[in-house]
Structures are given as structure tokens and as C-alpha cells.
Amino acid sequence: MNNASGPLALIAEDEPRLARTLTRLLGEAWPELRLAGVAADGVTATEQALAQLPDILFLDIQMPGRTGLEAAEAITDDWPEDRPAPLLVFVTAYDEYAVAAFERAAVDYVLKPVTPERLAMSVARL
């Protein structure tokens, strides 16, 4: 996932195995996508997003330090005004946060376990 011409994405996922799986599935579904990194908590996700300004954020909801919803809010609040806002995809095991995610302008809300078919739908939406 290091093609220099594709969009840049950041993954925020506190479970290393799930982060690896999502990275692999994204690589298969969207080979042009470049990965800016994987953040293991919401605070790091916010810092990395504001430093690297990715086009897309894949955010877990329940993370240490700051939830994915809180990270998304902090990122969009401090995002440079001269840059298009990042597209937000929440990837979580919790369906009860869907409304809050879409209130923060989420493009998609993917429930775990992530399947290749469901991720392909998300990639098509993006």
C-alpha cells in the first residue's frame, strides 16, 4: 500500500490483529491506497491525522485515550481550512454508535468482523 498516486489513509485500531487484518483487506480491495500508518489509540490517531493530513480515516470506536468519535471531532475541529476534510469510516463491533458516527459526517460504518465483501462496498462508496 505505498503507491505514490493513490489516496492516503490512516487506520486507528487498538487491537493489533484487527489492525493487520484491516490493512491486509484494504490492500486487497484497494491496491492504490497508501497507508499513512496505524494508530493504537485515539490520541495518537488525532496527532497522526493532523500531522499527515490523510484523505481517509478508518476509526475504531472504542479505543484508549480518546474514542474514535472523539478523535473524529478533534481532527475535524483542527483540520486546516484550506484542505478538504478527510472521509470518515468507522470500523467497530458496536452498532449503537452508528447515529453518532453519521452525525459526524461518516461516509460508512463497518461492523466487525470486517469481511472482504463488506470492505469492498465501503471502498466503492469512498
Side-chain angles (χ1 to χ4, degrees), residues 77-119:
D77 284 351
D78 291 338
W79 196 260
E81 291 183 21
D82 62 337
R83 295 280 308 242
L87 300 175
L88 303 175
V89 177
F90 290 93
V91 183
T92 184
Y94 304 95
D95 62 356
E96 65 264 28
Y97 298 103
V99 171
F102 285 108
E103 286 174 346
R104 286 162 179 81
V107 172
D108 205 354
Y109 193 91
V110 180
L111 288 176
K112 295 175 184 174
V114 178
T115 63
E117 297 78 17
R118 181 60 182 88
L119 194 59

Side-chain angles (χ1 to χ4, degrees), residues 8-13 22 26 30 33 45 54-61 63 68-69 71-72 75-76 85-92 97-98 101-102 104-112 114 118-126:
L8 185 64
L10 176 69
I11 295 173
E13 170 61 64
L22 183 56
L26 280 169
W30 197 349
L33 187 68
D55 303 298
I56 306 163
L57 298 170
F58 292 91
L59 300 168
D60 186 11
I61 297 280
M63 292 186 293
L69 294 169
I75 291 164
T76 55
L87 300 175
L88 303 175
V89 177
F90 290 93
V91 183
T92 184
Y97 298 103
F102 285 108
R104 286 162 179 81
V107 172
D108 205 354
Y109 193 91
V110 180
L111 288 176
K112 295 175 184 174
V114 178
R118 181 60 182 88
L119 194 59
M121 290 172 56
S122 188
V123 166
R125 189 171 286 157
L126 289 164

